[in-house]
Amino acid sequence: MENLILHVYYTCKPGMAQTFVKAVKDCGAQAKVHAEDGCFQYDYSLSCEQADTVVLMERWRDAAALEKHMAQPHMGEINALKQQYVDEVKIERYE
């Protein structure tokens, strides 16, 4: 088992961090990701130290599961929300 971990840091537009997280949950995309084969974790958290920062913690069975995830239709929904609420994205990948 490979286990691939991602920490995704979203710098949201001012005052939009909570709105972004709520929108991802409310549209059903987060639940769809949780149901994907190979997804062990997909959790959004608000930073206590950096205003307007959201941290997404992902854990996948392997790179193939992550690659399949990125091609799912609900990722289009998340990408549209990112365009609306997010200014910058930083990704840390651990294999």
Side-chain angles (χ1 to χ4, degrees):
M1 190 175 290
E2 187 177 313
N3 260 318
L4 175 63
I5 296 170
L6 298 177
H7 293 168
V8 184
Y9 299 89
Y10 296 105
T11 303
C12 294
K13 295 175 183 177
M16 292 288 111
Q18 284 186 316
T19 304
F20 171 61
V21 172
K22 184 176 182 332
V24 172
K25 183 175 181 176
D26 288 351
C27 79
Q30 184 177 15
K32 290 175 187 174
V33 174
H34 279 147
E36 289 179 39
D37 181 45
C39 178
F40 299 140
Q41 180 181 21
Y42 196 84
D43 297 318
Y44 290 87
S45 298
L46 298 171
S47 174
C48 294
E49 297 176 0
Q50 296 175 322
D52 301 317
T53 298
V54 173
V55 181
L56 169 60
M57 292 167 279
E58 300 182 48
R59 190 165 58 95
W60 296 92
R61 178 184 55 234
D62 52 30
L66 176 62
E67 186 174 328
K68 187 175 179 183
H69 156 70
M70 295 306 292
Q72 296 300 309
H74 47 268
M75 290 308 296
E77 295 176 67
I78 293 173
N79 287 331
L81 293 171
K82 288 191 314 191
Q83 288 183 1
Q84 186 175 355
Y85 297 112
V86 176
D87 282 335
E88 185 179 337
V89 179
K90 177 186 168 196
I91 300 172
E92 295 175 353
R93 183 175 173 138
Y94 305 95
E95 296 184 54

